[in-house]
Amino acid sequence: MSATAQSGKDRVVIFDTTLRDGEQSPGATMTHEEKLEVAELLDTMGVDIIEAGFPIASDGDFQAVHEIATRTKNAVVCGLSRAGQKDIDRAGEAIKPARRGRIHTFISTSPVHMKWKLQMEPAQVYEMVISSVSRARNHTDDVEWSCEDGTRTEHEFLFRCVEAAINAGATTINVPDTVGYTVPEEYFALIRMIRERVPNSDKAVFSVHCHDDLGMAVSNSLAGVRAGARQIECTINGIGERAGNAALEEVVMAMKVRNDVLPFWTGIDAGMLTRASKLVSAVTSFPVQYNKAVVGRNAFAHESGIHQDGMLKHTQTYEIMTPESVGVKQTSLVMGKHSGRHAFTHKLEELGYQLAGNQLEDAFVRFKALADRKKHVYDEDIEALVDEEIATAQDRIKLVSLSVIAGTRGPQRATMKLDMDGGIAIEECEGNGPVDATFNCIKALVPHEANLELYQVHAVTEGTDAQAEVSVRLSENGKSVTAKGADPDTLVASAKAYLGALNKLLIKRQKGKPEPLIAAERRVHSTDRV
Ligand code: KIV
Ligand code: ZN
């Protein structure tokens, strides 16, 4: 696009809520360090506003928002808050260190939410709109107000609330499609109507926040922008409550590729989209759907003969954007067992990782071990290895060794050695198949009541020596966590994924008081062989 086409009025602000709405996805919990890493990447790729969490929700959320506010160099850092005074003050405290900080306060305005969720009369809600925005303005000049369930709110009441929020000092007005109910034409009309009917609407930026329950989050967001909204709230890979939010990579690329009909622009470096997708998938352990627009592994794959023939003649026959434009690199044979530390560090930088100290050393040792076992080491192998390194850095339970006897003559047996908070424990179990035997060892060593909700295996690359990447989701007391493990041995990958999920559950349970992992009588010496 030419520089002259990029006028300020067509600039769409990208508000990323991966760390807040995204982290609310069942099972998508991130550790503190993972949140910092995601925030740093979002800042580097040009996200304008990072919604870093919901500070009143937990001390962990508060700490994450506070530290992201301290570290972020370019983006505005935002904390979410309900309409109560305590919520707002907590959010204000969390964003205090930010170079530019925002409070995003919300209250439900739809009849169904006011009656059943809030149990408040519209007049009380209206008063809270004013008091919450005014309170937030005591902390920062940058205040966003959201009418939760905005698309199911009565119009006249919505207009009055928006007007009151702007009068009280809100600088951004967000109109969420909280339950993913609207359709593009309707949302376009709603945003346009609010802008036309609210007398002071020119004093605020309008924002869209769409959920994907009917698969229309991206289309609805773009319709809102065409109607005059200039902020899109979105998440990497579209993660978020229930079916998720509008996917950042999709809204950005839609405006870039179809700039002829969507003449808007953002500050996002699209070349970093694939890296961001992979990082968020790694830290949440949510696999990216193969055919996911823009960042799915098949997004640039051409299988049929006719398509391949067309592509060889001219890539534009079947590609509307190039893989490079979103940061996809050709699968390349990278290195083997003779590659040194320098080449490995260089490759990591090329793939967008910045590891140092122990993390770099550990990743290098694991790379060498992999190169010893696997003939060809690809970029994808290195990514799986490093993502696992990052995701497991804080783990209290680690797999030391595993051996399994499998085959047609059961029962299958597994023997496992774990390092738990520095203590070593061993167990041997049978099972209905090798995976069951492996998981039974974990259950014996770390007794728990969590349910296994998902067990999924896929190959990182091609070939019979490819690494297996396993995803495991566990749930306990209504909370679920997901983790991934990668290894050329599927059973080792399975054990790592299960242990990864258990480690995440421990963090969830912990709340500052670490519980002992193993009873004293289970401890055995590290010299015991497995
Ligand atoms: O979906 C929603 O309504 C939200 C609000 C808190 C903005 O996430
Ligand atoms: Zn939402």
Side-chain angles (χ1 to χ4, degrees):
M1 193 199 306
S2 74
T4 49
Q6 296 188 331
S7 98
K9 71 179 181 33
D10 302 326
R11 168 75 153 88
V12 172
V13 165
I14 295 295
F15 175 114
D16 180 279
T17 182
T18 306
L19 296 171
R20 200 278 298 169
D21 217 327
E23 218 237 353
Q24 281 174 222
S25 315
T29 337
M30 298 175 216
T31 65
H32 185 75
E33 285 67 29
E34 288 166 351
K35 288 181 187 174
L36 299 183
E37 201 185 344
V38 171
E40 193 181 336
L41 189 79
L42 295 174
D43 194 28
T44 313
M45 73 189 266
V47 161
D48 299 285
I49 298 131
I50 299 173
E51 187 164 55
F54 192 178
I56 195 90
S58 69
D59 284 348
D61 257 51
F62 177 89
Q63 295 303 344
V65 178
H66 194 267
E67 196 158 348
I68 291 168
T70 310
R71 290 173 172 223
T72 300
K73 297 192 177 74
N74 309 305
V76 172
V77 176
C78 174
L80 182 72
S81 135
R82 288 169 301 189
Q85 301 197 348
K86 267 197 190 153
D87 273 51
I88 292 168
D89 293 346
R90 193 80 174 133
E93 223 183 300
I95 59 154
K96 214 177 192 164
R99 283 176 60 242
R100 293 187 295 153
R102 173 180 293 191
I103 295 179
H104 174 192
T105 179
F106 71 98
I107 190 164
S108 295
T109 49
S110 67
V112 63
H113 274 222
M114 289 192 290
K115 181 167 181 200
W116 296 107
K117 188 180 105 165
L118 299 177
Q119 300 186 340
M120 283 166 74
E121 292 300 321
Q124 293 171 289
V125 169
Y126 180 81
E127 285 310 316
M128 282 203 84
V129 173
I130 299 169
S131 62
S132 57
V133 173
S134 310
R135 182 103 185 172
R137 279 297 300 247
N138 293 336
H139 294 277
T140 170
D141 291 346
D142 188 346
V143 174
E144 171 171 337
W145 178 74
S146 283
C147 40
E148 191 184 6
D149 207 14
T151 50
R152 294 192 301 169
T153 297
E154 285 170 358
H155 290 168
E156 290 304 325
F157 183 59
L158 183 59
F159 302 152
R160 286 208 309 122
C161 288
V162 171
E163 184 180 0
I166 297 174
N167 277 338
T171 43
T172 301
I173 298 292
N174 183 38
V175 185
D177 183 30
T178 304
V179 288
Y181 181 69
T182 198
V183 299
E185 292 74 12
E186 183 182 66
Y187 200 51
F188 175 93
L190 179 65
I191 301 289
R192 176 175 269 187
M193 211 185 328
I194 299 172
R195 291 186 60 232
E196 283 172 1
R197 298 277 296 276
V198 172
N200 52 2
S201 67
D202 59 323
K203 304 218 163 34
V205 172
F206 281 83
S207 166
V208 292
H209 176 114
C210 298
H211 281 268
D212 209 30
D213 300 66
L214 292 172
M216 287 185 276
V218 168
S219 315
N220 289 335
S221 302
L222 295 170
V225 168
R226 286 197 300 104
R230 286 295 176 269
Q231 172 175 293
I232 301 183
E233 303 199 355
C234 46
T235 59
I236 303 289
N237 296 337
I239 63 169
E241 281 278 6
R242 306 181 310 281
N245 289 62
L248 181 148
E249 58 279 4
E250 295 179 24
V251 293
V252 167
M253 289 314 286
M255 289 185 278
K256 227 176 150 67
V257 175
R258 292 312 310 273
N259 200 256
D260 52 335
V261 288
L262 295 166
F264 312 104
W265 59 284
T266 71
I268 299 293
D269 174 358
M272 293 183 70
L273 291 174
T274 300
R275 176 73 210 107
S277 163
K278 286 187 174 168
L279 177 65
V280 169
S281 169
V283 298
T284 56
S285 303
F286 272 32
V288 177
Q289 177 189 331
Y290 285 0
N291 59 330
K292 165 85 180 58
V294 182
V295 291
R297 68 150 66 167
N298 286 358
F300 297 96
H302 304 276
E303 182 74 23
S304 90
I306 297 174
H307 286 213
Q308 286 178 351
D309 178 59
M311 282 294 292
L312 288 172
K313 288 175 177 147
H314 199 295
T315 53
Q316 278 180 12
T317 51
Y318 287 104
E319 263 177 18
I320 57 164
M321 54 192 155
T322 64
E324 294 76 27
S325 68
V326 296
V328 175
K329 297 196 183 69
Q330 290 305 315
T331 294
S332 59
L333 183 57
V334 284
M335 296 179 294
K337 58 182 172 187
H338 301 298
S339 308
R341 195 177 270 95
H342 185 237
F344 181 67
T345 314
H346 184 74
K347 177 49 85 180
L348 289 183
E349 277 164 15
E350 206 180 288
L351 294 172
Y353 294 100
Q354 279 155 354
L355 299 194
N358 286 347
Q359 226 176 21
L360 175 62
E361 199 48 42
D362 289 352
F364 182 65
V365 170
R366 293 176 59 190
F367 157 70
K368 283 298 223 187
L370 182 66
D372 266 343
R373 293 165 72 191
K374 197 171 178 296
K375 210 156 98 196
H376 303 303
V377 179
Y378 296 91
D379 285 355
E380 289 87 337
D381 289 314
I382 304 233
E383 282 168 347
L385 181 147
V386 178
D387 287 342
E388 192 183 283
E389 181 64 41
I390 293 165
T392 58
Q394 313 294 323
D395 282 358
R396 294 175 60 195
I397 314 170
K398 294 191 171 95
L399 179 69
V400 178
S401 62
L402 170 71
S403 49
V404 183
I405 301 171
T408 49
R409 286 227 311 255
Q412 288 74 20
R413 295 190 76 74
T415 312
M416 179 178 286
K417 189 194 267 188
L418 294 184
D419 176 331
M420 302 196 271
D421 282 343
I424 299 290
I426 298 176
E427 191 62 77
E428 192 175 325
C429 288
E430 290 184 353
N432 187 13
V435 176
D436 194 41
T438 302
F439 288 180
N440 284 343
C441 281
I442 298 178
K443 282 179 208 148
L445 287 164
V446 193
H448 58 274
E449 297 296 320
N451 282 328
L452 177 65
E453 282 190 342
L454 170 100
Y455 171 73
Q456 192 171 294
V457 185
H458 84 263
V460 174
T461 56
E462 275 150 32
T464 50
D465 69 345
Q467 286 200 90
E469 190 167 65
V470 176
S471 301
V472 163
R473 184 180 305 155
L474 297 177
S475 73
E476 185 185 71
N477 300 330
K479 293 203 158 48
S480 55
V481 291
T482 318
K484 281 203 243 181
D487 197 273
D489 184 316
T490 309
L491 295 169
V492 173
S494 304
K496 284 181 178 175
Y498 198 114
L499 291 171
L502 268 185
N503 277 300
K504 287 192 172 184
L505 268 186
L506 282 177
I507 295 174
K508 268 197 180 276
R509 277 192 217 148
Q510 222 166 279
K511 295 250 162 23
K513 234 196 313 152
E515 50 186 293
L517 285 175
I518 37 175
E521 69 269 18
R522 286 215 81 85
R523 284 177 190 269
V524 289
H525 291 295
S526 54
T527 45
D528 289 342
R529 274 188 330 117
V530 172

